[in-house]
Amino acid sequence: MPCQMAYNLASMTVLVRSFAKINLGLRIGAVREDGFHELLTVYQTIGLHDVIRVNWSRGSGIEILCDDPRVPRDESNTCHLVVEKAMRALKGKGRVVIEIEKRLPVQGGMGGASSNAVATLLALERVMKKTLPAEERLRIAAEVGSDLPLFLVGGTVLGLGRGEQVYPLEDLPAMACVVVTPEVGVSTPKAFAEWDGRMADRIAGAFARPHTGTAKLTGQGASDRMVELGRGLSAWLSESYSGAPFRRGRAENPLLELVRAGIKNDFEQVVFPEYPELSEGKCALERAGAKYASLSGSGSTLYGLFASQEAARAAVTKLRRQGWTAQATVTLTRRKYWQKILVSSF
Ligand code: C5P
């Protein structure tokens, strides 16, 4: 690790992996009274990760260490926010130093900052040998950001509300995945604002057209789109949970069945026109053999799901030759996610 902590004898350190997520489909709904958008998404944790080291010692204060200049080291850092809240909830005292080894892209749509915060929370509980009740952890996580709670579940996770209401879904088998990270920073609030503008234009357009019925008025409007993905997901889930006599069983790969259930990421509609490079990246993944390719969150990360690790590795070679920054990984089941979080404690 490039930056080193000064350890004192009376301190405890825990090293954890902070895994990334991708969105297997994301539908944006209406703007709520609190300004957030209603969301329906399926999160999936993947093997790429940052490394977080949390040290607890005598003294006071919270310090963030990170070599990456794009990561804030003040109170605005998600790890700082979480520790502040957790120390209060745990009635803990002492000095907490958090060292972030950044491997995931910053502002990349892979939930890096959110995952860092949750990993820090889990490491803090471990160093302090105290545990927060699950509801308390979820409350703290949701207060810090919409994308944090999913990392308290891991694996395949249904996200509702503003994305912070999370429900574990059937654990899908691991699947080979290629992640492409273009050097583009997409602002999530800006992408949501553009989505709102687009929706408003559509509704205005429908009003302007004569003899347009109410069905057409909402057209592919906010709630319709949510219902559509909801139906697809529901069909997909009932397939796996329904009774044995009629059950056909999962054909091929359940993850690909989910893809066929009609998952899409709404952000592509506003982000691709603004950053054509990202749309090209998705096409490049498809040409390289991806069974399904998509933008993750609001981007700029793109991912592709592949039939095998060999196919994913071959795609990475091909994509790199074309100039893309690409990495092969796997989707992480809930069990693997929790097995692999803790690296060491000393
Ligand atoms: O909660 P989080 O920090 O991830 O949200 C970042 C920003 O993204 C919010 O301030 C808001 O502008 C936007 N957002 C939204 N609807 C959501 C989630 C985020 O409008 N469901």
Side-chain angles (χ1 to χ4, degrees):
M1 238 187 239
C3 48
Q4 286 296 316
M5 284 177 178
Y7 297 107
N8 81 47
L9 284 175
S11 74
M12 253 299 279
T13 300
V14 166
L15 200 65
V16 283
R17 291 189 182 90
S18 162
F19 291 105
K21 60 87 181 165
I22 52 175
N23 294 82
L24 302 171
L26 186 157
R27 288 284 162 109
I28 308 170
V31 186
R32 312 180 331 173
E33 284 199 347
D34 60 6
F36 283 85
H37 293 72
E38 211 49 59
L39 282 192
L40 175 55
T41 188
V42 177
Y43 302 107
Q44 173 67 53
T45 47
I46 60 168
L48 301 184
H49 61 85
D50 289 334
V51 177
I52 309 277
R53 195 186 285 247
V54 175
N55 174 264
W56 180 53
S57 63
R58 273 194 221 108
S60 63
I62 302 167
E63 191 182 354
I64 311 270
L65 303 174
C66 184
D67 274 352
D68 192 321
R70 295 167 302 174
V71 174
R73 271 164 289 167
D74 59 11
E75 314 77 59
S76 68
N77 188 297
T78 49
C79 301
H80 196 292
L81 290 165
V82 148
V83 169
E84 228 173 68
K85 288 176 188 287
M87 289 292 269
R88 213 173 302 136
L90 289 164
K91 298 188 176 53
K93 289 200 180 84
R95 175 173 183 71
V96 179
V97 183
I98 307 144
E99 191 176 345
I100 307 168
E101 188 187 326
K102 209 73 207 158
R103 299 181 185 180
L104 301 170
V106 180
Q107 239 194 22
M110 286 205 279
S114 305
S115 168
N116 289 174
V118 170
T120 300
L121 174 63
L122 298 169
L124 182 74
E125 286 188 8
R126 181 120 185 159
V127 285
M128 294 179 76
K129 297 192 173 63
K130 287 183 176 186
T131 322
L132 285 167
E135 308 83 57
E136 189 75 351
R137 277 186 188 164
L138 281 164
R139 180 190 60 78
I140 291 175
E143 275 177 18
V144 174
S146 314
D147 271 1
L148 268 73
L150 83 102
F151 292 107
L152 287 170
V153 180
T156 314
V157 184
L158 179 66
L160 300 175
R162 59 182 166 88
E164 93 291 9
Q165 288 170 31
V166 287
Y167 303 91
L169 291 175
E170 180 188 15
D171 225 357
L172 294 168
M175 187 164 186
C177 176
V178 171
V179 168
V180 169
T181 47
E183 281 290 311
V184 173
V186 180
S187 151
T188 305
K190 197 164 159 253
F192 273 117
E194 266 159 41
W195 176 264
D196 293 341
R198 184 171 273 248
M199 280 294 136
D201 287 350
R202 254 184 217 171
I203 291 168
F207 267 116
R209 281 193 295 276
H211 315 300
T212 309
T214 24
K216 278 205 178 137
L217 241 186
T218 46
Q220 273 281 290
S223 48
D224 290 14
R225 304 182 60 78
M226 306 268 287
V227 168
E228 196 187 307
L229 178 60
R231 273 199 205 114
L233 283 177
S234 178
W236 174 71
L237 284 170
S238 13
E239 168 84 5
S240 64
Y241 293 126
S242 55
F246 305 107
R247 199 177 156 168
R248 282 185 286 120
R250 287 263 185 237
E252 192 194 355
N253 184 323
L255 227 170
L256 292 179
E257 272 182 45
L258 175 61
V259 168
R260 278 193 282 274
I263 58 170
K264 270 186 210 126
N265 182 345
D266 278 344
F267 277 120
E268 289 187 353
Q269 288 189 42
V270 284
V271 173
F272 283 174
E274 179 134 358
Y275 303 99
E277 186 192 343
L278 302 189
S279 162
E280 284 162 28
K282 176 173 169 169
C283 293
L285 274 161
E286 285 168 347
R287 277 197 310 271
K291 298 277 175 199
Y292 176 71
S294 171
L295 187 71
S296 181
S298 59
S300 57
T301 297
L302 299 152
Y303 69 86
L305 300 174
F306 287 78
S308 67
Q309 310 255 24
E310 296 72 50
R313 276 195 291 269
V316 166
T317 310
K318 195 170 168 192
L319 288 160
R320 285 185 183 161
R321 228 181 278 133
Q322 294 165 10
W324 298 101
T325 307
Q327 272 173 284
T329 184
V330 281
T331 60
L332 267 194
T333 61
R334 192 163 307 118
R335 198 167 56 88
K336 277 271 187 282
Y337 175 80
W338 287 104
Q339 262 174 7
K340 289 184 158 195
I341 279 193
L342 181 69
V343 180
S344 60
S345 68
F346 47 92

